[in-house]
């Protein structure tokens, strides 16, 4: 078990030196920014290119001449979305960093926040210990992850599609996903065990459940739809069907998988 | 009732709770939706033999939209009741024709999304939301008309001119291929067509000076297998039907779904207007192959023959209609024909082996042509081209019909089309081409209120090109048509009705107000031996069936 804590310490160290997990990854803070979809990030980028890039650069990496800092790593004046919002809204008094136009709607400021937040988990800005190539190999071979997960159309249907997982989960979260899968299980991945009036039992992942009916996918990826009234019993297991890999993979193998998963994004 | 609700509530809290749920006497039968089995090419060729499924946009490869289901028939159609409805979350107009395979229905939605539902209840299995750029170039609304399926994979066009492959069981993206550059004005809205082991698909953008094409993709990898341009390149036959370099921005989009004849191994596909739409001065000549039907080799995409309905079009009379293929009795022998009610107000019966014109006549009001010559070429009325001041011409820009599917009944041998008798002032403008900008060279305006015009469902005898009956409705309907072995023609109207007509006589059998414009074609299917009819109206997909007992 010591391996997990070393892993986590290890990753936290990375987080502190090179990234902004605390700023963008915290769920409580995330709830503060309602404008953080891909669309918003893109809108933020467009605005940034027009209004901010002349000082901070098109890549937001900063510019010595203007004194505008790099925004892709850890920020010195803000550690949360709200903090970034306030800097953009009010500027940094006494510096070239002026506030945005007073009539710019809050929603657009939030889009800028979302864009800046997205930079911090840009893989180019994070140095992970694992090897992407080795991780890809483990994913298909020793880890057998692809029996449940699809990446770019290859793999199983018994877990979430991971083709773009790097956009959704930071390295710390990915580590938890692999070592402690039960910690956070989306309802889509709960298991339903149902028995119909004739006594036939079927089990599957919970694709959808509503007041009167439910739909599951069984292990052979067959789809089933039931009206609840027809069922003699319904059992819901709010756990992950994914095994924990603490005993199965070494620390460095987990590092490799994390590096690989974190690299998975929409191409270009 | 209260008791079972109270018992269900703790479900939300517990972890691995087992709860008794009381089975009650009810109208549901034992309900297990059988998992669908892969849709092979064999199944698609013989789609007619499994009428419980609707496995492609037009139902079958010949696009007749004729279903052998007859549980709902002339005698009981008036008893139809709504079984379920599905609300599309993103508000726009629904032009979708759902696909049903083994009890699962796939619904495409605005802007470019896709949902799988239980075809018996309309409840969702999964959804796929396609990410779109925010600077799309689209002429005519955010919509999508349907998917194609092969194996366990769905293929869908997207507004950013991509073709995506989606796993039918989970909604996972298998591949996402850019078909063309949306920033140059290309977009995609139509359901692709499976032809053997390829996904065949067209392109939209005829109002943006694109150069249309028909593509075939490898279903496994999304790689382009062949591309056939709808405008011949320099040095190719037909290129000289364009003055100067006008062919490069000549339009001829291919924005609807075609048909396929497995025996002849020919794909049939319509092409759109030449561009700029209303100013023909800058593109003198016939402008091949705009406003044409193309017959393409099913393996290579090579053009076997073409038939141009409107040479040198200046009225935006797109030949973007679904070609209907049937074998009919014609002058004493059985002929393999293609039937086509064109936007230009003429109906054509064409030999689909050779492209030879057999019959044709106007089926709606028109003032631009005196008629068709023996080869089916229109004899133009002089002086009907758009002017700078404007000139009144029928049919108007939207045409005597448009993209909405016609139907054909094997019982009656009749062809059914939603038609419009209208007129409009057409005018032209001088316009320069700029990539990604609209390139139309003019426009049109109505000089009377819409209600002054007429829409109707017309039944045409393909052997004579004459109208057998018509059923008037309020203008301007853009609903498609489906026919069944129950002797019924199903369609909808602009004022929000879904209705059933007697396929033989045109007599009204049933109608229901759905409250919003029907912008789609109905389709029919069956689950557990029960026939359903589905139609999108406004933003909702409605499904009807007979009363259970």
């Amino acid at each position: 078990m010591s391996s997990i804590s070393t892993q986590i310490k290890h990753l936290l160290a990375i987080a502190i030196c090179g990234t902004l997990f605390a700023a963008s990854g915290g769920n409580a803070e995330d709830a503060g920014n309602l404008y953080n979809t891909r669309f918003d990030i893109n809108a933020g980028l467009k605005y940034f290119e027009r209004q901010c890039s002349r000082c901070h650069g098109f890549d937001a990496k900063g510019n010595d001449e203007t004194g505008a800092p790099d925004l892709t790593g850890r920020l010195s004046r803000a550690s949360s979305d709200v903090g970034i919002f306030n800097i953009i809204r009010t500027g940094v008094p006494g510096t070239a960093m002026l506030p945005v136009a007073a009539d710019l709607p809050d929603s657009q400021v939030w889009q800028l926040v979302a864009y800046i937040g997205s930079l911090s988990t840009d893989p180019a800005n994070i140095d992970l210990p694992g090897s992407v190539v080795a991780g890809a190999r483990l994913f298909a071979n020793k880890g057998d992850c692809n029996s449940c997960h699809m990446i770019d159309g290859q793999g199983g249907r018994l877990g979430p599609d991971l083709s773009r997982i790097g956009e959704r989960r930071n390295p710390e979260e990915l580590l938890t996903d692999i070592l402690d899968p039960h910690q956070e299980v989306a309802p889509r991945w709960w298991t339903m065990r149902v028995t119909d009036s004739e006594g036939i039992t079927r089990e599957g992942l919970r694709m959808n459940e509503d007041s009167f009916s439910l739909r599951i996918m069984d292990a052979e990826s067959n789809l089933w739809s039931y009206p609840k009234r027809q069922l003699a019993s319904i059992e819901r297991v709010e756990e992950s069907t994914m095994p924990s890999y603490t005993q199965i993979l070494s620390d460095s193998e987990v590092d490799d998988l994390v590096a690989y998963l974190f690299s998975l994004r929409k191409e270009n | 009732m209260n008791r079972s609700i109270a018992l269900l509530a703790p479900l939300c809290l517990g972890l691995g709770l087992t709860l008794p749920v009381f089975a009650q006497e009810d109208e549901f039968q034992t309900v297990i939706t059988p998992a669908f089995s892969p849709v092979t090419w064999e199944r698609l060729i013989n789609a007619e033999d499994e009428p419980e499924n609707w496995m492609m946009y037009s139902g079958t490869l010949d696009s007749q939209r004729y279903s052998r289901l007859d549980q709902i028939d002339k005698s009981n159609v008036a008893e139809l009741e709504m079984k379920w409805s599905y609300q599309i979350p993103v508000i726009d107009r629904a032009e979708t024709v759902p696909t049903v395979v083994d009890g699962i229905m796939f619904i495409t939605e605005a802007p470019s999304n896709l949902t799988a539902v239980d075809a018996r209840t309309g409840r969702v299995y999964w959804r796929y939301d396609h990410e779109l750029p925010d600077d799309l170039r689209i002429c005519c609304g955010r919509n999508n008309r349907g998917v194609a399926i092969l194996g366990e994979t769905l293929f869908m066009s997207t507004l950013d001119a991509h073709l995506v492959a989606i796993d039918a069981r989970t909604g996972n993206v298998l591949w996402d291929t850019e078909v063309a550059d949306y920033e140059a004005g290309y977009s995609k809205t139509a359901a692709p067509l499976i032809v053997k082991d390829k996904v065949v698909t067209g392109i939209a953008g005829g109002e943006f000076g694109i150069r249309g094409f028909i593509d075939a993709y490898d279903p496994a990898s999304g790689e382009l297998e062949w591309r056939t341009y709808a405008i011949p390149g320099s040095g190719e036959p037909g290129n000289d039907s364009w003055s100067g370099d006008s062919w490069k921005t000549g339009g001829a989009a291919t924005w609807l779904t075609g048909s396929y004849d497995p025996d002849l191994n020919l794909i049939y596909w319509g092409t759109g207007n030449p561009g700029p739409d209303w100013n023909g001065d800058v593109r003198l000549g016939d402008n091949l192959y705009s406003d044409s039907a193309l017959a393409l080799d099913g393996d290579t995409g090579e053009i076997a023959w073409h038939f141009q309905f409107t040479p040198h079009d200046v009225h935006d009379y797109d030949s973007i209609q679904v070609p209907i293929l049937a074998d009919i009795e014609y002058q004493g022998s059985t002929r393999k024909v293609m039937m086509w009610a064109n936007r230009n107000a003429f109906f054509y019966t064409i030999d689909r082996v050779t492209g030879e014109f057999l019959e044709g006549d106007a089926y709606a009001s028109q003032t631009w042509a005196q008629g068709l010559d023996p080869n089916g070429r229109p004899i133009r009325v002089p002086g009907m081209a758009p002017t700078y001041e404007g000139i009144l011409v029928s049919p108007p820009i939207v045409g005597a019909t448009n993209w909405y599917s016609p139907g054909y009944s094997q019982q009656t041998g009749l062809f059914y089309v939603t038609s419009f008798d209208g007129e409009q002032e057409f005018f032209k403008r001088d316009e320069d081409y700029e990539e990604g900008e609209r390139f139309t060279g003019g426009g049109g305006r109505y000089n009377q209120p819409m209600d002054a015009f007429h829409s109707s469902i017309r039944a045409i005898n393909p052997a004579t090109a004459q109208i057998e009956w018509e059923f008037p409705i309020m203008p301007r309907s853009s609903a498609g048509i489906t026919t069944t072995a129950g002797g019924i023609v199903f369609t909808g109207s602009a004022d929000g009705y879904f209705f059933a007509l007697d396929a033989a006589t045109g007599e009204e059998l049933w109608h229901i107000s759905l409250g919003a414009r029907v912008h789609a074609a109905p389709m029919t299917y069956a689950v557990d031996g029960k026939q359903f009819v589905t139609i999108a109206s406004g933003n909702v997909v409605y499904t009807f069936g007979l009363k259970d007992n």
Side-chain angles (χ1 to χ4, degrees):
Chain A
M1 297 317 290
S2 66
S3 67
I4 307 176
S5 48
T6 8
Q7 276 300 316
I8 288 176
K9 262 187 245 144
H10 193 22
L11 266 143
L12 282 178
I14 302 164
I16 289 160
C17 59
T19 75
L20 191 65
F21 297 151
S24 62
N27 284 331
E29 303 287 4
D30 272 357
N33 188 356
L34 300 173
Y35 299 91
N36 56 6
T37 65
R38 302 294 303 170
F39 175 87
D40 295 307
I41 292 171
N42 206 26
L45 161 71
K46 293 235 165 78
Y47 191 86
F48 188 93
E49 284 176 347
R50 277 200 311 276
Q51 302 292 340
C52 322
S53 62
R54 68 192 167 92
C55 293
H56 290 278
F58 270 92
D59 56 2
K61 292 244 186 234
N63 179 336
D64 284 340
E65 248 164 73
T66 61
D70 182 352
L71 302 177
T72 67
R74 201 174 140 78
L75 301 188
S76 57
R77 291 189 181 270
S79 59
S80 68
D81 283 351
V82 175
I84 303 175
F85 181 96
N86 289 336
I87 292 177
I88 300 172
R89 192 38 104 200
T90 57
V92 181
T95 73
M97 179 62 205
L98 298 173
V100 288
D103 63 357
L104 186 73
D106 278 1
S107 57
Q108 285 197 39
V109 177
W110 282 119
Q111 289 176 330
L112 277 166
V113 173
Y115 167 64
I116 293 173
S118 77
L119 297 170
S120 64
T121 43
D122 184 330
N125 303 322
I126 293 183
D127 198 12
L128 288 173
S131 147
V132 172
V133 176
R137 230 179 295 119
L138 277 163
F139 191 86
N141 303 325
K142 184 169 175 196
D144 194 30
C145 319
N146 61 347
S147 63
C148 291
H149 292 287
M150 242 183 227
I151 291 177
D152 294 337
Q154 301 299 314
R157 295 176 167 117
L158 302 178
D161 187 314
L162 301 179
S163 307
R164 294 171 64 178
I165 188 71
E167 294 168 16
R168 260 189 303 127
R169 308 285 281 170
N170 67 36
E172 207 183 338
E173 293 165 326
L174 290 169
L175 182 70
T176 314
D177 289 338
I178 297 170
L179 299 181
D180 188 10
H182 296 315
Q183 203 179 81
E184 243 179 67
V185 183
R188 162 68 177 84
W189 302 103
W190 293 341
T191 294
M192 304 297 289
R193 199 171 293 136
V194 299
T195 306
D196 65 19
S197 48
E198 277 148 36
I200 301 171
T201 298
R202 217 165 253 122
E203 188 178 291
L205 294 164
R206 182 178 176 274
M207 299 201 77
N208 200 326
E209 179 180 0
D210 60 40
S211 306
F212 296 99
S213 66
L214 65 91
R215 281 154 295 288
I216 61 173
M217 173 185 282
D218 69 20
E220 277 75 54
S221 57
N222 292 314
L223 303 178
W224 302 91
S225 180
Y226 296 94
K228 285 182 171 172
R229 282 203 288 195
Q230 289 273 305
L231 295 169
S233 77
I234 300 174
E235 191 185 343
R236 183 199 267 174
V237 186
E238 298 179 0
E239 287 179 354
S240 180
T241 43
M242 171 166 160
S244 163
Y245 284 85
T246 26
Q247 311 296 336
I248 304 169
L249 300 172
S250 71
D251 287 3
S252 74
E253 285 172 330
V254 173
D255 277 349
D256 293 342
L257 276 170
V258 167
Y260 170 57
L261 294 173
F262 193 59
S263 75
L264 296 174
R265 275 141 214 278
K266 191 180 175 127
E267 298 142 60
N268 45 65
Chain B
M1 212 47 202
N2 281 336
R3 194 184 150 90
S4 66
I5 289 170
L7 273 168
L8 279 169
L11 258 179
C12 319
L13 314 167
L15 194 124
L17 273 183
T18 306
L19 285 168
V21 177
F22 298 103
Q24 299 181 4
E25 290 282 310
D26 60 35
E27 71 269 25
F28 286 105
Q29 315 168 276
T30 306
V31 205
I32 33 172
T33 301
F36 70 83
S37 37
V39 178
T40 57
W41 173 237
E42 228 29 56
R43 279 182 85 183
L44 292 176
I45 293 183
N46 301 312
E48 197 179 11
D49 299 336
E50 41 178 309
E52 66 277 19
N53 292 322
W54 190 275
M55 295 190 289
M56 61 191 95
Y57 182 65
S58 301
T60 49
L61 291 166
D62 56 22
S63 301
Q64 293 180 359
R65 303 189 68 81
Y66 172 77
S67 166
R68 285 194 194 156
L69 294 178
D70 61 359
Q71 194 174 63
I72 299 168
D73 62 18
K74 287 192 271 194
S75 73
N76 61 19
V77 63
E79 292 155 32
L80 283 181
E81 61 175 26
M82 194 183 89
K83 293 299 179 185
W84 55 260
S85 68
Y86 168 78
Q87 305 265 347
I88 294 174
V90 178
I91 306 287
D92 215 300
R93 62 187 190 204
E95 295 187 0
T96 186
V97 176
T99 298
V100 169
V101 181
D102 303 339
I104 298 172
M105 177 182 284
F106 304 100
I107 301 170
T108 59
E109 311 176 350
S112 295
N113 299 337
L114 176 57
T115 301
V117 304
D118 176 351
R120 206 170 350 81
T121 63
R123 305 303 297 191
V124 172
Y125 276 107
W126 54 254
R127 18 178 336 105
Y128 165 70
D129 289 330
H130 185 75
E131 254 174 40
L132 286 168
D134 51 6
D135 55 347
L136 289 171
R137 315 290 202 276
I138 44 177
C139 72
C140 317
R142 303 179 304 162
N143 46 61
N144 188 288
R145 305 202 179 84
V147 290
I149 183 166
L150 183 65
E152 302 184 349
T153 306
L154 303 162
F155 303 93
M156 178 172 74
S157 296
T158 65
L159 288 173
D160 55 347
H162 284 224
L163 181 67
V164 290
I166 308 284
D167 176 33
R169 295 183 194 270
T170 59
N172 290 353
V173 184
L174 305 180
W175 49 258
D176 179 340
T177 294
E178 184 190 72
V179 170
D181 178 9
Y182 79 88
E183 287 183 313
Y186 292 88
S187 62
K188 280 175 67 57
T189 50
L193 180 75
I194 302 298
V195 176
K196 299 200 240 189
D197 54 353
K198 294 186 183 70
V199 187
V200 178
T201 185
I203 193 82
E207 272 63 57
F208 292 87
I210 64 152
R211 180 178 173 215
F213 53 80
I214 298 162
D215 277 357
Y217 291 86
D218 177 346
S221 67
E223 309 260 307
L224 181 66
E225 300 264 337
W226 52 254
R227 167 167 294 183
T228 297
Y229 279 99
I231 299 178
S234 61
E236 290 171 354
N239 182 264
D240 58 359
S241 67
W242 298 83
S243 55
D245 276 348
S246 59
W247 62 274
K248 289 182 179 163
T249 52
T254 50
W255 54 275
L256 201 61
T257 309
S259 309
Y260 177 70
D261 182 327
D263 296 326
L264 299 172
N265 190 28
L266 287 177
I267 301 166
Y268 302 90
W269 212 280
T271 66
N273 61 277
D277 308 35
W278 299 287
N279 188 340
D281 308 348
V282 298
R283 48 169 176 82
L284 301 177
D286 276 0
N287 306 140
L288 290 170
Y289 303 104
S290 66
D291 289 351
S292 301
L294 294 178
L296 310 179
D297 182 282
D299 296 304
T300 63
E302 237 169 284
I303 298 178
W305 55 258
H306 73 274
F307 181 88
Q308 192 177 36
F309 298 96
T310 314
H312 191 70
D313 173 22
V314 285
H315 298 103
D316 193 11
Y317 294 155
D318 275 349
S319 294
I320 296 287
Q321 289 81 39
V322 177
I324 295 188
L325 317 180
D327 296 351
I328 66 162
E329 288 309 308
Y330 179 69
Q331 297 185 350
S333 62
T334 306
R335 290 292 280 266
K336 290 179 182 294
V337 305
M338 173 175 77
M339 295 166 276
W340 202 301
N342 199 276
R343 186 158 162 179
N344 72 9
F346 285 88
F347 172 85
Y348 303 78
T349 300
I350 289 165
D351 182 315
R352 72 172 182 273
V353 184
T354 60
E356 180 198 350
F357 169 76
L358 302 178
E359 284 300 326
D361 206 347
Y363 68 91
S365 124
Q366 67 83 22
T367 58
W368 68 281
Q370 284 157 9
L372 303 177
D373 78 9
N375 296 318
R377 192 180 167 95
I379 306 158
R380 283 183 175 277
V381 173
M384 296 305 264
T387 60
Y388 292 108
E389 301 74 38
I391 178 170
L392 198 61
V393 182
S394 173
I397 289 171
V398 293
T401 192
N402 207 304
W403 59 269
Y404 23 94
S405 301
Y408 173 82
S409 163
Q410 293 180 7
Q411 281 182 339
T412 63
L414 297 175
F415 175 100
Y416 305 92
V417 61
T418 299
S419 63
F420 180 51
D421 301 311
E423 59 185 15
Q424 208 171 28
E425 250 180 77
F426 285 75
F427 58 90
K428 76 172 168 188
R429 242 192 334 250
D430 296 321
E431 219 168 67
D432 288 327
Y433 172 76
E434 228 177 286
E435 184 174 284
E437 298 300 322
R438 288 181 77 97
F439 183 54
T440 58
R445 53 187 164 239
Y446 288 106
N447 59 353
Q448 292 184 68
M450 184 53 69
D451 279 12
F453 302 119
H454 304 280
S455 268
S456 47
I457 308 304
R458 290 189 171 129
I460 300 171
N461 179 342
T464 60
Q466 299 308 304
I467 296 168
E468 298 270 319
W469 56 253
E470 75 175 300
F471 182 83
I473 50 179
M474 291 307 284
R476 178 195 62 101
S477 177
S478 47
I481 286 172
T482 290
T483 64
T484 71
I488 299 169
V489 166
F490 284 107
T491 185
S493 66
D495 45 6
Y497 285 99
F498 179 42
F499 58 97
L501 305 177
D502 183 325
T505 64
E507 184 198 342
E508 187 222 316
L509 302 171
W510 172 75
H511 69 257
I512 186 169
S513 172
L514 301 180
R517 183 180 189 116
V518 176
H519 238 313
M523 48 79 67
T524 185
Y525 63 97
V527 186
D528 295 340
K530 286 188 182 145
Q531 185 182 356
F532 299 97
V533 200
T534 294
I535 183 94
S537 153
N539 227 44
V540 182
V541 176
Y542 294 93
T543 289
F544 297 86
L546 296 171
K547 200 160 187 63
D548 295 300
N549 42 36

